[in-house]
Structures are given as C-alpha cells and as structure tokens.
Amino acid sequence: MTHLRVEHAGPATTVQDAGRLAWQHVGVSPAGFADPLLASLANALVGNPPEVAVLEWALHGDTLRVVGGPVRVAVAAWADVRVDGHPAPTFRSLRLHDGQVLTVGPLQQGRHGVLAVAGGILTPLVLGSRAVHARTGVGGRVLQSGDCLPVSADPARDTPDRRLPPAHLPTPANTLRVLPAPQLPLFQPNALPLLLAQPWRVLAGDRMGLRLAGPPLALLPGVEPVSEGVVTGALQVPPSGQPIALGPDRQTMGGYAKLAVVVSADLRHLAQLRDGDAVRFVAADLTMAHAARSQAHAELEAALAAIHFAHDVLPFESGRLLRLLS
Amino acid sequence: MTLTPLGDAALLVTCAAQPGAEASAAVHALAAALTAAALPGVHALVPAYTTLLVHFDPRTTDVARLSALVNSANSRRPGHSPGDPPAALRAKPAAAAARRWHIAVVYDGEDLAWVAAQLGCATADVVARHSAVEYAVACLGFAPGFAYLSGLPANLHLPRRATPRARIPAGSLILGGQQTAVMPLAMPSGWHILGRTDVRLFAVDRAAPSLLLPGDRVRFVPTDAADLAGAPPRCEVLP
C-alpha cells in the first residue's frame, strides 16, 4: 500500500481535517485545522475538497519518504522544501515517485504549515474525523520518526501540476478583531479598554492555546465564574490576569472568565502567531464579523479560481524531463 | 432565559442564574428540545451548569435567525407552555429518559487514608459516605467522557492537591473540591484518588462513546478487588 514514511519527524506534526465538532457535549475537543485557509489551498492544489485530512506542522517540517506511489503533494508553508535535496516550490503541486524524499525545514513565517496529498491522508476515522487531539490521544498522536501514513495511490485521481499565483498567497496579520464576550460584565470596567490599548506579546503556545503577556486584566472583586462552554478564539483570563487565546485543541468547557472572542475570519491569523510575536486586538461587532467572513470567503474563492497549470520542469523530475524530450 | 453571542459562531443560552438541580434540569431540557428540533447549521450543543452553548456554522446561519429558533423550540418544549406539544416533539420525547448507572468500584486508592485523616474519620466512613448517595451528571468536559458529578456530601469536601499529579490511571475514582468523578483516560489530575473501576467511561469503538451523558444518575457500588474484573455497569431506566 502506498504510504509516506516519516524519516525524521518535526516537533509537533499531526494529521488534521475539519475536526470533530459534534462530540463536544461529551467532552471531546474539536481539534481540526489550525489554519483552514492553508489547508483549503493545499488541498485545492492536489485536487482535493477543502476538508480532506492533511499533515500540519508546527514550527518545523518533517522528512518524508514516498513508499509505493506515485503521489501528488502540495506544501502550503513558508519554509525551505527539498525533494531528494533539490529545492522545490511551495504552493505548487508536485508529483513524487516511489523512494523520493521530501524535506521541509523550519517554518520561516507563521507557526503552522500544511502538506496535502491527493486523496488525503488515510489514517482511520475516529468519531467521524481524522484530526489528532494529542493531549487525549483521540484520533492518534504527534507524528514520530518511523511512522507510516497511508495515502491514496489511485492514478485516476491524478491531476496536472498546478500552482497558486504569488498575488493570491495568504497574507499574515497581527491585528485581530474581537467581539466582547457575554462575561464582560464580570470584569473591571477598564479590562476591555486595556485589552485594546496596546500590543500583547505571545509568550508560548501550542494547538490548545496561546499565552499572552501584557498589563494584568482583572475581574470584579468576589466574582467566581461558573464553568461553561468555550469557543476557539476566546480570550480567557485566569487569576494571573494574563489572557490565554484558545486554539482548536481547547477543552469543551472552561471555568476562566472570557473577556472577548476573536472573530472567526481572523482565527487563521491567531493560529499563525509565534512565540515572541506582538498581537493587537481591535473591537468589532457582529456586522463587522460577518463582513470579515464574507471578504475572507471571497478572497479564498478568488485564490482557488486563480490556481493554474504549471508547465515548468523541476530539477528532481528526471522522468518527466525525459518524457517531455522524447 | 437569555441569549448572548459568544463570538460570531456560537450562541450562549443562560437558563439559570445559579447552578443546582433546577438549573441542570432546565439546561438538559433545552438541550433535548434543540437536539430534537435539529436546527440547520447547528453542529454542537454543550450543556454546562447554568448554560447551553450552541455552536453553529456562520456560513449557514447567524445569531438573529438562531435566536428566534432557540426561543421557538424552548416555548414548544413540553411542560413549558399549556396545550399539546407539536407532533414532532411528541414523536421524539424532548427529555430523554433518565438513566441510573451502578458502577462497581474498589475503594483502595492511594489517597484514601490521607482523605480519611484530613476529614478526621475512618477510611470505612469515607467509603460509606461516598457510596451512600446518588450523583447527577451535571455536564461533561475536561476530557472525553469526563462527567462532573454533583451531589458529593459536604462531609467529603476537600481542597485539591497543591501539586497535581502528572498522570493518573484511567478508571481512577477521584474527589476534588465539591466534586467527584471517574477519570476516563490516563491524564494529569489534582484531585484525590479514592479508588478505581474497570468500567470504560469513554471508548471510541462504541456506538455511544461516552458511557455517561448529561442528566444521567450514578451510584458507586463498593466491590472487592477480586470481583471487579469484567463487572459491567448496570443501567436502570428511570420512569
């Protein structure tokens, strides 16, 4: 069976898809794509629907060997990518043959990058999803060297090389729009103005959440919040007063009060913040959140429409070069 | 009942001001009514102590449309308003039948003696107090299948450990603050370990992955270690 063998695993690579949303009432974290835009673009480049399972890297990629094949892959990441040691383009689909080795180095921009494979990563479905929630082991674990990831080798799926024009590459942002949360009245009146007044520094983070550093945010005296359901993008404030922005591996409920929530269109930017980055929050309302979603959707549609055939021959494609010459 | 957006992809419905049996009943009844109504665009309902969080897909619906549907489903809930419930709700009862689970446990946890010493009683008293009452599943969270059980007697309330343990085994029966629970997976915990069960609280290969659901009742049955293996949980359906 065709698979990708992990020759050298990055620090926190996982299989992700759109996540396991429907099991939150029994405590199952949704998990799923950290940056759904990167996943949509990478999947489109290999001819997949947007929610097909991909490999997601955190901070550093992997070294993967194709066993069987051929397979068609696309890397959506800002990183040095090599095939058998030759530089290979990102945001462009590549056809890899049996034995070829794809190496993705440290991510030069953003926290997460994506590898899509035509037909998807075919690890077993768990509760309807292949997304890995590493903390509880639901869906699997973080990739380790020696792992084998089953992929499809159906030649009927194969498509020509395709690339995304540079004008449509996703752009980073470190100003995120937030909506006030229902628990806002539990906070000191200056808490929301303080959140919006200056940039916050990302101290540390993973798929569960990002810890932010800045002036302390305080609850009103004597307030004891009751645990309730939480959402990805919620800025929750523990007793330290330093907010935590929740990521896709968040728990389903939380006891810390939530001051504000990042709008859904900006969650992909939240997922790309790195330790040490500065992030600013600006106030929005529901109308602005909907407009931001519509705009993000229009930009994705435009990018998908702009994907075109790539006719350049890459240095590691000796077989293809010979075919073209003959 | 108040409805407030939590971001642009979730609606927080507050059913009661304070946690308690009445609040839980209201939350679970609304969750059942919304489940039966199968509202378009809703992909998860998360009941908690006083609230129900409705996660929705903002591509399909929005806060205004969903608020109207939630209010309408709530007002049609049997017992909420006079008159017959609509046919759809009669065919599919809005409140699922309550269930009572009897879970066999061995009270031999490594913290049992310490807990007894803190409470100034014998370990047998801790066991008697803990197994004498019926608990209610207020909600699930923290981990898959982790049920927050309400009803812990006040004479078993104890602060949590100063330093959480990095990992406690799946099946641990634990107590912390005013709550008790069974650990579904091996995970970190700052609660005290009273004992263990070999009932699987969460298993992805079952049709119902989580044994316990919001609104269920639970009793713990003290069992000898020799009799624990393979003892399946007994479930009564309550009238």
Side-chain angles (χ1 to χ4, degrees):
Chain A
M1 186 176 180
T2 302
H3 57 266
L4 299 178
R5 192 169 72 214
V6 182
E7 303 280 312
H8 186 79
T13 307
T14 52
V15 176
Q16 295 297 336
D17 62 12
R20 210 171 265 114
L21 305 176
W23 296 93
Q24 293 183 69
H25 63 298
V26 291
V28 179
S29 169
F33 302 131
D35 184 339
L37 176 61
L38 281 193
S40 293
L41 293 173
N43 271 325
L45 285 164
V46 296
N48 290 342
E51 298 188 337
V52 164
V54 300
L55 269 195
E56 183 195 277
W57 302 298
L59 298 173
H60 199 294
D62 308 309
T63 299
L64 304 164
R65 181 183 297 275
V66 176
V67 179
V71 295
R72 179 163 293 286
V73 304
V75 171
W78 288 267
D80 183 68
V81 178
R82 309 242 156 189
V83 174
D84 293 340
H86 299 284
T90 56
F91 295 97
R92 181 197 192 280
S93 71
L94 312 168
R95 189 167 159 87
L96 301 182
H97 295 272
D98 184 24
Q100 285 198 299
V101 175
L102 176 82
T103 304
V104 179
L107 305 190
Q108 291 144 8
Q109 175 188 318
R111 183 181 284 273
H112 291 108
V114 162
L115 172 87
V117 183
I121 308 276
L122 300 177
T123 46
L125 284 167
V126 174
L127 302 178
S129 163
R130 296 185 164 91
V132 169
H133 187 255
R135 194 162 176 276
T136 57
V138 176
R141 55 163 169 72
V142 167
L143 235 62
Q144 293 175 3
S145 301
D147 285 351
C148 287
L149 295 164
V151 297
S152 170
D154 182 359
R157 288 182 190 278
D158 199 31
T159 51
D161 285 7
R162 289 195 275 202
R163 64 199 301 237
L164 179 70
H168 291 277
L169 288 178
T171 48
N174 60 358
T175 298
L176 310 185
R177 290 159 280 199
V178 294
L179 299 167
Q183 287 171 318
L184 177 63
L186 304 185
F187 285 86
Q188 299 278 2
N190 72 345
L192 188 58
L194 259 182
L195 178 77
L196 305 173
Q198 80 285 299
W200 293 75
R201 195 162 52 83
V202 177
L203 270 188
D206 56 22
R207 288 179 42 88
M208 198 168 169
L210 296 179
R211 290 196 294 127
L212 305 175
L217 304 171
L219 293 176
L220 293 171
V223 162
E224 295 241 1
V226 177
S227 288
E228 62 181 31
V230 298
V231 294
T232 304
L235 299 177
Q236 63 173 28
V237 182
S240 69
Q242 300 293 280
I244 299 169
L246 297 181
D249 280 7
R250 62 175 171 78
Q251 296 179 358
T252 55
M253 289 175 53
Y256 296 139
K258 296 167 288 294
L259 178 60
V261 181
V262 175
V263 304
S264 54
D266 287 347
L267 291 179
R268 69 180 184 91
H269 298 307
L270 184 66
Q272 293 293 5
L273 293 172
R274 301 168 70 118
D275 296 0
D277 279 357
V279 55
R280 216 172 237 291
F281 298 105
V282 293
D285 58 24
L286 272 179
T287 309
M288 292 158 76
H290 291 153
R293 270 203 75 84
S294 302
Q295 190 192 340
H297 180 73
E299 284 170 9
L300 171 61
E301 290 296 312
L304 295 180
I307 288 175
H308 59 76
F309 296 138
H311 300 294
D312 51 322
V313 175
L314 302 172
F316 50 85
E317 293 183 306
S318 52
R320 183 166 176 236
L321 189 58
L322 285 176
R323 279 199 305 280
L324 289 174
L325 292 173
S326 59
Chain B
M1 195 175 84
T2 59
L3 289 74
T4 333
L6 179 63
D8 60 337
L11 184 65
L12 184 72
V13 186
T14 304
C15 298
Q18 293 298 326
E22 268 183 46
S24 286
V27 170
H28 298 150
L30 180 64
L34 294 187
T35 302
L39 302 181
V42 171
H43 51 223
L45 298 169
V46 180
Y49 294 100
T50 58
T51 58
L52 180 71
L53 184 62
V54 181
H55 290 270
F56 64 87
D57 182 349
R59 292 171 296 189
T60 310
T61 186
D62 59 39
V63 166
R65 269 188 285 176
L66 201 54
S67 297
L69 291 169
V70 168
N71 277 317
S72 155
N74 183 55
S75 65
R76 284 187 282 106
R77 183 158 66 77
H80 181 274
S81 57
D84 285 338
L89 291 188
R90 258 184 281 132
K92 199 171 182 180
R99 306 182 302 176
R100 180 188 290 137
W101 294 96
H102 299 259
I103 296 178
V105 297
V106 181
Y107 283 92
D108 63 354
E110 58 185 285
D111 297 332
L112 183 64
W114 184 89
V115 166
Q118 291 296 304
L119 298 171
C121 65
T123 55
D125 296 326
V126 174
V127 174
R129 291 173 191 175
H130 191 268
S131 59
V133 295
E134 178 172 290
Y135 300 95
V137 178
C139 47
L140 290 98
F142 175 66
F146 185 100
Y148 289 97
L149 299 177
S150 56
L152 185 72
N155 58 12
L156 289 176
H157 292 181
L158 266 184
R160 296 173 196 184
R161 288 169 57 87
T163 313
R165 290 187 175 98
R167 198 171 165 89
I168 67 169
S172 298
L173 175 67
I174 53 179
L175 168 155
Q178 305 186 10
Q179 308 203 77
T180 188
V182 179
M183 205 66 170
L185 309 168
M187 284 188 72
S189 173
W191 295 21
H192 311 288
I193 305 175
L194 296 188
R196 62 196 159 93
T197 176
D198 69 354
V199 169
R200 294 165 79 205
L201 273 288
F202 187 80
V204 294
D205 52 1
R206 277 197 306 237
S210 180
L211 182 78
L212 302 177
L213 292 174
D216 282 359
R217 308 271 151 177
V218 176
R219 294 198 75 124
F220 294 108
V221 183
T223 305
D224 289 337
D227 300 333
L228 186 67
R234 190 162 65 82
C235 181
E236 285 174 78
V237 177
L238 304 176

